[in-house]
Amino acid sequence: MSFSANIKEELSKLSNLTNKEALKLEFFGYLISTNTTVIKNKIKYSTENLYNINRFNKLLTNLNIDYQIDIQGKVYTISLKKQNF
């Protein structure tokens, strides 16, 4: 497994979900990645990495942000509306 795959796996297993400020910063990190697109009032984060999608799912759940997960083949996409946060 590659170094980045190992890091993604380690991050997905973190259970430090109580510090809301840290969660927001990690959430913004996902938003500024190259995997994120913004179309009108929707934000989409896509990845083939299951660990990434699991971690992003945990962040959104703990920040009480409504989202939808779509799976097409090996690509996972989380969609959310910009006005949710």
Side-chain angles (χ1 to χ4, degrees):
M1 195 181 308
S2 71
F3 175 75
S4 68
N6 286 335
I7 296 300
K8 290 172 188 175
E9 181 179 1
E10 286 181 38
L11 285 173
S12 75
K13 293 179 181 178
L14 291 176
S15 60
N16 61 339
L17 299 168
T18 56
N19 183 340
K20 294 294 183 190
E21 288 303 312
L23 293 178
K24 287 179 187 176
L25 293 172
E26 188 174 346
F27 170 67
F28 290 133
Y30 277 97
L31 292 182
I32 63 172
S33 76
T34 58
N35 296 4
T36 303
T37 57
V38 179
I39 301 171
K40 296 185 182 181
N41 67 339
K42 270 197 171 175
I43 298 171
K44 291 187 176 190
Y45 175 82
S46 298
T47 183
E48 291 184 6
N49 188 290
L50 184 59
Y51 297 119
N52 267 352
I53 214 71
N54 285 338
R55 181 63 183 181
F56 199 38
N57 174 34
K58 289 178 188 177
L59 293 174
L60 293 172
T61 300
N62 280 280
L63 292 171
N64 297 317
I65 297 173
D66 292 328
Y67 61 94
Q68 178 181 340
I69 297 178
D70 297 309
I71 303 169
Q72 289 187 334
K74 292 183 178 182
V75 178
Y76 302 89
T77 302
I78 288 185
S79 302
L80 49 128
K81 293 182 180 178
K82 288 195 305 189
Q83 63 263 27
N84 281 337
F85 47 91

